[in-house]
């Protein structure tokens, strides 16, 4: 646990967000890392350690999810290392959050990174003045907002931070008043990434076959051509029109994880702060 908290501190940017990760296998094949690469107990800093398309460190949701666990630990124990991470992270996250008079809100969505942390020194942690984050765009995503609210709730309960407590309430009230429908709480999303249904699938030369549903696998295969079952979806016409040059489709998804996070966030707030 102590080593994990050190890891959070090592990855905390000058602004307060938590950066990528570390690896002991550069490029996944024990390649020689670039010279001057920062390290954490011998492991090399890796800006996007999980996946690259899109970069695994760019989604604010991963910030809210993981720092929530730090906040839960802090709320239960008062751990000083956890508090040090949270004090800086909460200040940064709130500085990038907007609350409007009608109760709507905008929180960070896509993050962009530059630089790297200082090589870790447990006895004298660096300030990471060379590791920076900027917020490229913002969102009203309800699942991420709920995770963010939970983080603020646990932090506020132990620290007494009134700004964090008020922000948690604004997020929960804002989604309840503005984004509730017959199925749950959700917001419409414009999904330009459906253009990737046309992306080619790499098939080695000379290889052919069929998918379990009979779709042909060959050198002309695309993401969609080997998943023709998508065409049976009632909303397929919106994707088909977009792929033919039409408007970006909009969908309102009621993702189970988001609905669960909202319920848990409301429960945590009620239990701890009201």
């Amino acid at each position: 646990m102590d080593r994990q908290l050190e890891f959070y501190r090592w990855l905390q940017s000058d602004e307060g967000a938590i950066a990528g990760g570390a690896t002991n296998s550069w490029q996944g094949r024990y390649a020689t890392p670039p010279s001057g690469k920062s390290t954490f107990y011998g492991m090399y800093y890796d800006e996007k350690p999980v996946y690259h398309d899109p970069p695994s460190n760019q989604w604010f949701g991963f910030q809210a999810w993981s720092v929530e666990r730090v906040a839960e630990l802090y709320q239960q124990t008062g751990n000083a290392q956890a508090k040090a991470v949270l004090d800086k992270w909460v200040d940064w996250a709130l500085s990038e959050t907007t609350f409007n008079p009608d109760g709507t809100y905008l929180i960070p969505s896509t993050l962009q990174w530059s630089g790297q942390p200082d090589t870790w020194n447990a006895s004298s942690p660096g300030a990471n003045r060379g590791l920076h984050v900027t917020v490229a765009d913002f969102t009203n995503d309800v699942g991420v907002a709920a995770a963010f609210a939970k983080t603020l709730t646990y932090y506020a309960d132990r620290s007494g931070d009134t700004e964090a407590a008020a922000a948690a309430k604004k997020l929960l009230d804002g989604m309840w008043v503005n984004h509730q429908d017959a199925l749950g709480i959700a917001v419409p999303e414009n999904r330009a990434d459906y253009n990737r249904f046309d992306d080619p699938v790499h098939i080695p030369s000379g290889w052919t076959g069929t998918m379990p549903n009979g779709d042909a696998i060959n050198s002309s295969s695309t993401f969609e051509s080997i998943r023709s079952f998508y065409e049976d979806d009632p909303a397929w016409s919106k994707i088909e029109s977009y792929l033919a040059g039409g408007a970006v489709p909009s969908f309102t998804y009621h993702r189970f994880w988001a609905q669960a996070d909202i319920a848990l966030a409301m429960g945590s707030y009620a239990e701890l702060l009201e």
Side-chain angles (χ1 to χ4, degrees):
M1 185 194 73
D2 287 337
R3 184 61 53 90
Q4 280 197 316
L5 290 172
E6 286 184 86
F7 197 49
Y8 274 101
R9 292 191 66 182
W10 178 62
L11 292 171
Q12 190 158 35
S13 69
D14 187 42
E15 295 76 17
I18 310 301
T23 181
N24 68 343
S25 177
W26 192 253
Q27 296 182 339
R29 52 184 172 83
Y30 297 98
T32 301
S35 61
K37 184 60 69 173
S38 170
T39 59
F40 177 84
Y41 291 103
M43 296 186 292
Y44 305 104
Y45 174 65
D46 190 345
E47 179 180 304
K48 39 187 182 290
V50 184
Y51 46 80
H52 292 191
D53 184 14
S56 58
N57 67 342
Q58 76 169 21
W59 187 49
F60 178 74
F62 285 140
Q63 299 281 318
W65 274 348
S66 62
V67 178
E68 177 197 330
R69 277 59 169 175
V70 180
E72 289 165 347
L73 171 71
Y74 168 63
Q75 188 271 339
Q76 289 287 303
T77 67
N79 183 286
Q81 282 202 82
K83 184 178 189 301
V85 171
L86 289 161
D87 287 345
K88 192 171 183 180
W89 187 91
V90 168
D91 282 349
W92 165 76
L94 289 179
S95 75
E96 297 287 356
T97 299
T98 301
F99 294 107
N100 300 312
D102 63 357
T104 57
Y105 57 84
L106 287 173
I107 61 175
S109 181
T110 305
L111 308 179
Q112 294 179 338
W113 299 88
S114 63
Q116 66 173 5
D118 301 326
T119 289
W120 180 249
N121 181 339
S123 61
S124 181
N128 286 347
R129 299 301 183 204
L131 176 62
H132 296 287
V133 65
T134 56
V135 180
D137 53 41
F138 298 83
T139 184
N140 60 356
D141 184 281
V142 294
V144 178
F148 186 16
K150 274 193 288 181
T151 305
L152 295 172
T153 295
Y154 283 102
Y155 173 71
D157 180 61
R158 185 79 187 207
S159 68
D161 189 308
T162 56
E163 182 185 6
K169 179 174 173 57
K170 287 178 182 178
L171 289 170
L172 297 174
D173 287 348
M175 68 177 75
W176 184 257
V177 171
N178 293 283
H179 305 312
Q180 190 177 171
D181 61 22
L183 295 176
I185 295 177
V187 293
E189 300 178 30
N190 294 324
R191 299 305 300 250
D193 49 354
Y194 276 112
N195 63 2
R196 303 198 64 178
F197 269 44
D198 279 341
D199 279 9
V201 175
H202 173 70
I203 306 298
S205 178
W207 287 68
T208 60
T210 57
M211 294 290 284
N213 68 346
D215 289 341
I217 303 172
N218 53 49
S219 60
S220 299
S221 291
T222 65
F223 177 89
E224 192 275 327
S225 77
I226 60 173
R227 297 173 175 85
S228 63
F229 53 82
Y230 276 118
E231 298 173 11
D232 298 329
D233 190 285
W236 170 249
S237 61
K238 295 169 71 170
I239 307 299
E240 189 173 34
S241 173
Y242 176 48
L243 295 176
V248 174
S250 176
F251 293 96
T252 300
Y253 300 108
H254 296 78
R255 299 180 178 91
F256 178 76
W257 74 261
Q259 304 307 297
D261 248 3
I262 294 164
L264 289 167
M266 292 183 173
S268 298
Y269 183 87
E271 180 184 18
L272 299 175
L273 298 183
E274 286 193 23

